[in-house]
Amino acid sequence: MSATAALELRGISKAFGSVQALHGADFSLAPGEVHALLGENGAGKSTLMHIAYGMTGPDRGTIRVRGALVSIRSPRVARALGIGMVHQHFTSIGALTVGENVALAIGRRSDGQSVRRTEIALPARLMEGLPIGARVDTLSVAQRQRLEIVKALATGATSLLLDEPSAVLAPSEVEELLALVREFTATGGSAVLITHKLPEVFKVADRVTVLRAGRVTLHAPVAGQTPVSLAEAMIGEAPVGHTAEVLGTTAPRATPAVVDAAPARPAVRVGGIDVMAGELVGIAAVLGNGQRELLRSIAVGRGTAFVPEDRTIEGLIGGMTVTENMVLGLDTDPRWSRGARLDWNAARTRTAELIERFGIRAPGPDAPAATLSGGNQQKVVLARALEQGPQVLVAENPTRGLDIKATVEIHDRLRAAAAQGVAVLVYSIDLDEVLELSQRVLVVHAGTVREAPKGADRRVVGEMMLGVRER
Amino acid sequence: MSGQSLRATITAFVALGTGFLVLALGLAVAGYDPFLSMGALWRGAFGSWYALGSGTLVRAVPLIILGLGVALAFRAGAFNIGAEGQFYAGAIAATWVGLQVGTWPEPLAIGAVWAAAAAAGLAWVALPVLLKVKWGVLGVISTLLLNFVAEAVVSFAVTGPLQETQGVYPQSDPIADSARLPALAGSRLHLGLLLAVGLAFLLWWVFARRRAGFRLKAVGAGPLAAEISGRIPVKRVVAFALLFSGALAGLGGGVEISGVTYALFQNLSPGYGFTAIAVALLARLHPLGIVVTGLLFGALESGALGMQREAGVPAVAVQVAEAVIILVVLLADVLVRRAASRTPMPQEAA
Amino acid sequence: MSGEAVVLTGFLAAAIRISTPLLLAATGEMLNERAGVINLGVEGAMLAGALASALGAMEAGPWVGVLLAVAAGVLVSGVFAAVAIGARANQIITGTAVTLGAVGLTGAVYRTAFGASGPGLSLPTFASVPIPLLSAIPVVGPAVFNQPLLTYLAWLLIPAVGWFLFRSWWGLALRATGESIEAARASGVPARRVQVLATLAGGALAGVAGASLVLAQVGTFAEKMTAGRGFIAIAIVVLGRWHPGGVLLAALLFGGASALQFALQAAGLAAPYQLFLVLPYLLALAALAGGAGRSRQPAGLGK
């Protein structure tokens, strides 16, 4: 580790309750470089960067900024040290203007003469298309992300931590972002790119650090690495079977479902396009193009089950037991409801069966749903959805925040459901997941739905997502 | 006793204890003898059969009924803080009907009085329901405002259309005999107590075994999940919960008229609508628990009068104890939530 | 002046005088609501301030009364802040409990000090202070520019609060807190502290409102005398769309509605006095029903 590293973390350990998120992890960021921090969900990359940004403190370990030992107690301290962070969830306030958000970020140091017209001395390219007086809730997602970067740079960041920034962008917007990052580092800044997408690493990073289950498994220049070597470092063994999940390869690889008898009538129409029973159809779209409204309007239909995006707020009621959650949406099911009465014993028994069948790790059917892990909670939601015996299943970002093991399990269940004859619609913000899972891909752009041509690759679908291409 | 019930009971005792402690301390600071005052409080509540029967139990009746109403709304995540006004609305309706049904057979007369009271309470919460559905948390203010309006209507009624025939006192004529509840000989304890307990059991049964009770709980504990995954019409459930809550509060007013006062006058309620919030919260919204806490607070109110008589302490001081009890329950709840990611208290539904 | 002019001046003067406690309480409530806190304890804070001002004025004159009222208001809203913001308990119930406790406490203190019934206290009050020249303007002058000092204070607060909210960084931080605590925190705003301070400021102003009610309007203290003015203040904030100028206008509207009582009675309208009594509450209900621009409500209110 060079003494002139812009940012250096050594021996960082951090536990949350009984979960050890980081075991003695080392990370160093050299000036002028783009350093990729790679790892699957739950590997600890966000935690490590949260420590660097002062959002939480390490249990053990040291941090040095430009060689000097520091204690980063809060984001304010981090910013004062020149560390800026662009989070996955944007932190701008919709009801305030761009200028007000920047002034807020700059803090009391801003010449609060007139907080609405804050002068920001930043590269014109960055400020392009970002009107100072516009309310943030009128901006597009890419613009809002741009604002996050502006805020970070306006507070004097020389080391920029970007947390999965491409997750919310269409492919060409990602290109623009990566170009911006390179420009930033070319002028002396340093950037950390947190990601789980290998292609990005090869496109823009100089060095890469890989985390797996809280430990650093690889730290090297990108030049000497291959997708396989990185994947190995990420998941601990030569990738077999789930290659596509990890490598982010572009060809749609899903095995077609076996359907006994395809009925003539479609199970559901999505924006005018027929989907038959037993098909697993992927929905690809950039945030804010109407896919959410479209899918949710389908999801309330009869015979349709829904796996919503936010399982803790929309899917489950944390304070209620697993049994009670299972009854939610099924409270007229004749197996445990007669007239207006509810037979809780019958519900409990069935829930215990489902826990067994779906391999849900829970103390029992009476455990509060909030005590289950993310993956198990999602299994409860999926089990309940399938229990409804639906003709159509709509799943919105079903593997969000889950580690690879849980992700694979959910994917298998979705495929199994399709094999049983359910028409499955899966929307994921992760284009690779959509391509991996689906037999057919429907692209939603500005409220219109078009089918991607068979065998279309990432680039083609990406262009359709942006409306640049129609087929 | 399950872990949750044990915790709830401990919380209740801690809250009660803190409330009394604060009261005693405050009295001491104000120059009253705390021991004498507390003793007087006890005697006023339990010191004699009269205290128990005609004081504690009689005051428990409206507290239980209103407490049940408040708990019903709370369970669905809606806060009914207008029970006081709904109580008065029910009392007005009960009085008016009670004056008309002199020739009716007793069960019918009482039934009519109660029905009118419940209907009036329901009507009194209807506007706030509309506002809550439209404006969310701010709709709650409307229930508070209507409390004051209800008091003004009572004032108007007893100095105007409902004033007693002599026209001297600001109160109504006594209601017809057939509309009065049978009472235990020699005391003021009336049939209303059976109604209160009966309603508690009814509500308990609904909460535990009926789909409606489950939906109420789901809406209160997780409104978004209830809407999206449960396909429950959240706004409708909340509206119904509030309407029934108002009906119960109105019924409480009707029972008070037909069982205790037999006539309408101002200041009929020493704040039952607000004490009911403490009653409901202390019992963690459990209907059978509300019978217990209703009795407890009935004792408190009865004792307060005794305290005023014997030790000269203004009876209204116990409201401070009630407020402290509510606050401690809220605090305990927060601690529980932090410790075990359970949410016994409902979140406000949209 | 002509007869109508006299009536009009009298009406305006009364409207402004009556609106002052409402304006003060609403300004304070607007501040904490802009920070995301809805404080139903404002009624209790106002009542506590009323009693404190009476006691203070009796001992040492009206300005001491105002000082004590501020302290009382801060104390009451401090209890609310500790539970609702510090411990993050539900704001509605906490506020209700605080008001309940304040009503009980003020009632008990009053009765202990002065007995259950008896003649009202006689207190040294604030006289009207005419502003030279301006108070000579026909009709409007004697109404607007001949008011107690507390009224001028309340009016001057409006542009001051407006400047604070929209032209200072801390005002921006406060507004950000009311929209989203997480987002505010992410920008380095000490969100909870901002909420607590805003609530205490609201309590202080509620206390002054109580003092204004006692020492500049009614002239004495009676149990439960605030009669829901704190809650009406909340409706005024809604009607005024959480904006200082709007709050001023809304408060004047309410003052006018109450003053209408006297004007109509003077005109010989024989309606039961309870009707005039409920007018402000009905107006508040109407404000909540129609006047609210929900999109203007701070997004994080009550959370």
Side-chain angles (χ1 to χ4, degrees):
Chain A
M1 312 281 175
S2 119
T4 54
L7 174 66
E8 184 181 341
L9 293 102
R10 278 256 210 148
I12 303 289
S13 290
K14 177 75 183 176
F16 292 108
S18 55
V19 178
Q20 192 71 25
L22 291 169
H23 296 266
D26 295 335
F27 181 83
S28 85
L29 178 66
E33 78 162 347
V34 178
H35 194 137
L37 183 56
L38 197 59
E40 50 159 341
N41 272 319
K45 10 181 236 307
S46 279
T47 306
L48 188 62
M49 288 300 106
H50 286 173
I51 289 174
Y53 192 56
M55 290 166 68
T56 184
D59 298 334
R60 266 197 297 279
T62 59
I63 307 178
R64 282 173 206 275
V65 173
R66 288 179 288 276
L69 197 64
V70 296
S71 165
I72 308 185
R73 286 182 211 283
S74 71
R76 194 137 53 96
V77 175
R79 284 194 289 269
L81 291 167
I83 303 172
M85 186 156 186
V86 175
H87 306 264
Q88 281 189 61
H89 298 289
F90 302 153
T91 60
S92 289
I93 295 176
L96 301 178
T97 66
V98 169
E100 284 177 328
N101 273 283
V102 177
L104 198 61
I106 293 178
R108 285 151 274 173
R109 287 176 295 151
S110 74
D111 63 353
Q113 269 296 297
S114 154
V115 290
R116 265 175 292 214
R117 288 188 306 280
T118 306
E119 254 92 62
I120 314 165
L122 285 170
R125 182 200 175 126
L126 200 54
M127 292 306 296
E128 237 168 59
L130 207 56
I132 286 242
R135 265 172 70 129
V136 167
D137 52 16
T138 60
L139 300 178
S140 75
V141 171
Q143 281 175 308
R144 277 194 245 199
Q145 192 180 65
R146 195 71 71 80
L147 177 57
E148 296 297 306
I149 298 175
V150 168
K151 277 159 58 179
L153 296 183
T155 57
T158 49
S159 301
L160 204 55
L161 312 175
L162 298 133
D163 194 349
E164 312 253 15
S166 59
V168 297
L169 301 177
S172 75
E173 290 173 331
V174 175
E175 297 300 329
E176 250 186 70
L177 171 70
L178 295 181
L180 219 69
V181 172
R182 258 198 303 273
E183 208 179 285
F184 173 63
T185 56
T187 56
S190 327
V192 178
L193 185 65
I194 304 168
T195 181
H196 63 273
K197 308 226 174 166
L198 298 184
E200 285 172 19
V201 178
F202 290 104
K203 248 181 245 173
V204 78
D206 301 309
R207 279 195 300 162
V208 60
T209 298
V210 183
L211 279 178
R212 183 176 83 235
R215 283 177 228 271
V216 173
T217 55
L218 179 70
H219 166 78
V222 171
Q225 298 300 316
T226 67
V228 176
S229 68
L230 289 184
E232 241 177 66
M234 270 173 75
I235 62 177
E237 62 199 10
V240 157
H242 306 302
T243 313
E245 318 261 13
V246 174
L247 296 188
T249 53
T250 58
R253 300 265 223 97
T255 43
V258 174
V259 181
D260 290 335
R265 275 179 51 240
V268 64
R269 290 179 72 87
V270 180
I273 299 181
D274 291 345
V275 172
M276 313 303 276
E279 292 196 284
L280 213 179
V281 172
I283 313 287
V286 176
L287 273 184
N289 269 281
Q291 70 277 24
R292 194 182 146 96
E293 293 72 20
L294 176 66
L295 286 175
R296 284 182 176 229
S297 69
I298 294 173
V300 296
R302 288 196 56 189
T304 308
F306 186 36
V307 175
E309 168 167 58
D310 194 329
R311 58 182 162 270
T312 55
I313 300 184
E314 302 177 314
L316 297 174
I317 298 181
M320 301 210 309
T321 65
V322 178
T323 304
E324 287 171 317
N325 275 288
M326 204 54 85
V327 170
L328 195 63
L330 281 167
D331 57 16
T332 49
D333 191 304
R335 282 174 290 177
W336 44 74
S337 94
R338 262 167 286 274
R341 258 192 10 244
L342 283 176
D343 180 355
W344 285 107
N345 283 322
R348 203 174 284 123
T349 312
R350 179 60 182 161
T351 303
E353 282 170 20
L354 289 171
I355 288 178
E356 186 74 46
R357 177 125 69 89
F358 279 77
I360 300 172
R361 281 228 293 277
D366 288 325
T371 58
L372 270 58
S373 74
N376 288 308
Q377 284 178 343
Q378 194 70 326
K379 286 194 220 174
V380 172
V381 175
L382 190 55
R384 174 181 65 199
L386 293 172
E387 191 72 352
Q388 288 168 20
Q391 281 86 55
V392 182
L393 175 66
V394 177
E396 235 184 21
N397 282 318
T399 61
R400 192 181 75 151
L402 301 185
D403 63 30
I404 272 240
K405 201 161 157 299
T407 299
V408 167
E409 278 185 274
I410 298 290
H411 283 181
D412 287 341
R413 300 244 173 230
L414 290 172
R415 290 193 190 97
Q420 299 288 329
V422 180
V424 179
L425 302 175
V426 179
Y427 163 65
S428 173
I429 208 173
D430 186 333
L431 182 55
D432 300 307
E433 180 176 25
V434 173
L435 293 172
E436 153 70 18
L437 267 180
S438 346
Q439 307 146 344
R440 294 164 65 191
V441 176
L442 300 180
V443 180
V444 183
H445 172 73
T448 318
V449 184
R450 294 189 178 85
E451 179 151 3
K454 246 186 143 35
D457 68 3
R458 215 171 172 272
R459 190 179 56 86
V460 170
V461 177
E463 286 173 2
M464 289 181 72
M465 282 162 68
L466 284 177
V468 169
R469 170 199 281 265
E470 298 236 328
R471 60 188 75 257
Chain B
M1 212 186 248
S2 80
Q4 202 174 5
S5 307
L6 185 63
R7 206 176 296 140
T9 313
I10 295 178
T11 306
F13 276 109
V14 168
L16 274 171
T18 314
F20 283 122
L21 191 64
V22 169
L23 180 63
L25 282 172
L27 291 178
V29 164
Y32 297 100
D33 178 345
F35 297 107
L36 177 65
S37 311
M38 288 299 158
L41 189 68
W42 174 266
R43 281 186 292 279
F46 303 114
S48 66
W49 284 117
Y50 183 79
L52 184 64
S54 302
T56 298
L57 288 175
V58 166
R59 289 190 178 263
V61 171
L63 288 175
I64 293 173
I65 299 178
L66 266 67
L68 290 171
V70 164
L72 179 61
F74 272 36
R75 190 177 162 98
F79 301 120
N80 182 6
I81 50 183
E84 188 84 349
Q86 294 140 27
F87 175 90
Y88 278 123
I92 295 171
T95 306
W96 184 73
V97 170
L99 292 169
Q100 319 285 330
V101 294
T103 54
W104 294 24
E106 189 163 306
L108 223 58
I110 293 175
V113 165
W114 284 359
L122 190 146
W124 206 247
V125 81
L127 178 62
V129 165
L130 199 65
L131 292 180
K132 178 182 171 58
V133 162
K134 283 185 86 186
W135 303 124
V137 72
L138 290 173
V140 147
I141 311 296
S142 57
T143 54
L144 286 174
L145 295 169
L146 283 174
N147 285 347
F148 295 98
V149 176
E151 285 176 29
V153 175
V154 169
S155 162
F156 170 69
V158 299
T159 52
L162 283 181
Q163 189 171 23
E164 44 99 16
T165 37
Q166 241 76 40
V168 176
Y169 299 105
Q171 66 188 48
S172 74
D173 278 324
I175 58 176
D177 278 328
S178 59
R180 302 187 196 190
L181 298 177
L184 205 57
S187 81
R188 301 198 305 157
L189 185 56
H190 56 90
L191 194 66
L193 183 61
L194 285 179
L195 174 69
V197 175
L199 284 171
F201 274 98
L202 178 67
L203 227 59
W204 178 58
W205 177 70
V206 170
F207 286 177
R209 302 242 188 280
R210 308 292 288 189
R211 182 164 51 240
F214 171 69
R215 292 193 166 193
L216 272 176
K217 183 175 176 184
V219 165
L224 265 175
E227 179 109 48
I228 292 177
S229 295
R231 317 261 176 125
I232 297 173
V234 166
K235 291 202 169 176
R236 207 182 321 159
V237 169
V238 168
F240 272 111
L242 277 171
L243 288 174
F244 276 111
S245 177
L248 279 169
L251 180 61
V255 168
E256 191 76 351
I257 293 286
S258 64
V260 180
T261 65
Y262 309 136
L264 183 69
F265 46 85
Q266 296 178 72
N267 298 314
L268 189 64
S269 160
Y272 287 138
F274 293 104
T275 309
I277 297 176
V279 167
L281 287 181
L282 196 60
R284 330 302 266 119
L285 311 186
H286 193 294
L288 297 185
I290 286 174
V291 174
V292 175
T293 55
L295 283 167
L296 261 161
F297 280 94
L300 190 62
E301 302 262 327
S302 183
L305 290 175
M307 195 171 65
Q308 184 165 284
R309 268 193 314 269
E310 274 190 47
V313 176
V316 75
V318 295
Q319 282 185 3
V320 178
E322 287 174 15
V324 171
I325 289 172
I326 296 178
L327 292 176
V328 172
V329 170
L330 288 176
L331 285 170
D333 208 50
V334 168
L335 285 171
V336 164
R337 233 190 300 149
R338 292 227 187 109
S341 58
R342 290 182 189 202
T343 40
M345 286 308 297
Q347 316 146 24
E348 173 113 45
Chain C
M1 270 201 299
S2 67
E4 294 99 5
V6 170
V7 170
L8 186 58
T9 304
F11 168 73
L12 281 174
I16 293 177
R17 190 179 283 255
I18 295 175
S19 73
T20 301
L22 296 174
L23 178 60
L24 285 164
T27 304
E29 181 69 17
M30 174 185 61
L31 274 176
N32 56 251
E33 284 196 16
R34 275 276 189 176
V37 177
I38 181 164
N39 181 7
L40 293 189
V42 59
E43 171 81 0
M46 201 168 161
L47 188 58
L51 180 61
S53 74
L55 294 174
M58 261 176 47
E59 293 298 307
W63 285 110
V64 172
V66 172
L67 273 165
L68 280 188
V70 168
V74 169
L75 203 65
V76 170
S77 53
V79 172
F80 170 83
V83 178
I85 304 174
R88 309 229 215 106
N90 178 271
Q91 289 176 12
I92 300 290
I93 312 218
T94 305
T96 306
V98 165
T99 291
L100 179 68
V103 169
L105 188 61
T106 53
V109 168
Y110 176 76
R111 290 199 187 193
T112 302
F114 303 110
S117 59
L121 307 172
S122 85
L123 301 168
T125 55
F126 285 109
S128 294
V129 175
I131 298 185
L133 281 184
L134 290 172
S135 57
I137 303 174
V139 179
V140 176
V144 177
F145 298 108
N146 190 7
Q147 292 281 346
L149 282 172
L150 285 179
T151 302
Y152 300 137
L153 171 68
W155 283 57
L156 286 174
L157 263 178
I158 293 295
V161 168
W163 180 90
F164 168 73
L165 279 178
F166 300 109
R167 291 251 182 270
S168 80
W169 189 86
W170 278 109
L172 175 62
L174 186 143
R175 284 187 290 134
T177 306
E179 296 293 331
S180 162
I181 293 192
E182 297 89 36
R185 262 206 202 111
S187 289
V189 174
R192 292 293 172 194
R193 215 188 311 163
V194 166
Q195 285 190 326
V196 169
L197 288 174
T199 303
L200 293 180
L205 284 171
V208 177
S212 165
L213 183 64
V214 169
L215 300 175
Q217 188 178 324
V218 176
T220 185
F221 178 83
E223 282 186 71
K224 299 208 219 173
M225 71 183 291
T226 46
R229 281 178 178 76
F231 305 133
I232 290 179
I234 295 182
I236 288 176
V237 172
V238 172
L239 189 55
R241 301 195 175 207
W242 293 271
H243 196 282
V247 165
L248 175 61
L249 289 175
L252 284 173
L253 180 65
F254 274 82
S258 295
L260 209 57
Q261 163 180 2
F262 303 117
L264 289 179
Q265 279 179 343
L269 271 180
Y273 81 93
Q274 290 97 348
L275 184 61
F276 297 109
L277 203 59
V278 299
L279 209 52
Y281 304 112
L282 296 180
L283 189 58
L285 282 166
L288 290 171
R294 191 172 188 188
S295 60
R296 299 301 189 111
Q297 181 179 329
L301 189 62
K303 301 209 165 83

